[in-house]
Amino acid sequence: SAVSAPIQYAAIKAYQGNHNNYIESSRIILEAVGNFVFTKLNSNKVLINKPQGGFYLMPEFIDAKFNSSAEMCNNILEDTGVALLPGSDFGFDEKKMIARLSFTDFDGNNFMKEFEKDHNIDHKLISRCAPKVVEGVDMLKKWSEKL
């Protein structure tokens, strides 16, 4: 009924010191990657809100002809290799073609080191540090354009 001793000691260590720079750098990186994904997907085929924090977006695919968001996500996975969770898993009507897209498939430690060099995030840095995100979003965009 209690947290184990090793975890308690790890928590004590985690709360010591100032982590403000790490937290702020993480926020900036996630904001930049989220905005990249938003800009890339936002179109007449994809309704998506600009990210306001966090690490995922909930795009709605307009004119997608599937019986459920789960069926649509299975099709996306089969056609593109991009894994999304159906909106119905998060309480949305299964007939709405909404999916949850996480944009965190990258080495955060490496991205942090690259960001710390000049505190500038551009398309080149995102492409270099988050290539799977860039590739996945490109494939998802091409998929959506066929709707």
Side-chain angles (χ1 to χ4, degrees):
S1 68
V3 177
S4 67
I7 293 174
Q8 290 180 36
Y9 285 110
I12 290 168
K13 189 72 170 168
Y15 284 109
Q16 293 174 342
N18 184 335
H19 303 289
N20 290 341
N21 287 340
Y22 173 82
I23 292 168
E24 182 63 11
S25 294
S26 295
R27 187 195 64 72
I28 291 168
I29 290 168
L30 287 173
E31 180 180 28
V33 176
N35 284 330
F36 167 82
V37 173
F38 164 78
T39 301
K40 197 81 167 165
L41 287 181
N42 191 30
S43 69
N44 291 338
K45 301 286 186 172
V46 182
L47 178 63
I48 190 169
N49 290 320
K50 189 172 175 139
Q52 296 179 16
F55 56 88
Y56 62 86
L57 295 167
M58 303 291 286
E60 180 175 2
F61 296 88
I62 308 302
D63 297 328
K65 306 294 186 225
F66 299 96
N67 292 318
S68 68
S69 58
E71 180 185 339
M72 178 189 69
C73 288
N74 285 333
N75 181 268
I76 291 170
L77 181 60
E78 289 173 11
D79 286 359
T80 68
V82 175
L84 303 173
L85 293 172
S88 57
D89 286 358
F90 300 93
F92 292 96
D93 183 334
E94 69 175 20
K95 301 289 184 196
K96 291 192 76 77
M97 297 302 118
I98 297 174
R100 188 181 105 165
L101 173 118
S102 172
F103 49 85
T104 57
D105 190 3
F106 58 86
D107 180 342
N109 190 43
N110 180 56
F111 207 137
M112 185 79 67
K113 287 177 184 174
E114 291 295 317
F115 171 69
E116 292 296 327
K117 289 179 182 176
D118 66 5
H119 295 287
N120 182 38
I121 299 178
D122 57 12
H123 181 74
K124 287 173 69 173
L125 182 63
I126 292 172
S127 295
R128 192 169 68 248
C129 292
K132 290 180 182 178
V133 173
V134 173
E135 179 184 10
V137 170
D138 285 343
M139 290 187 294
L140 195 54
K141 176 135 179 101
K142 288 176 188 170
W143 180 89
S144 71
E145 290 170 348
K146 295 176 187 174
L147 294 176

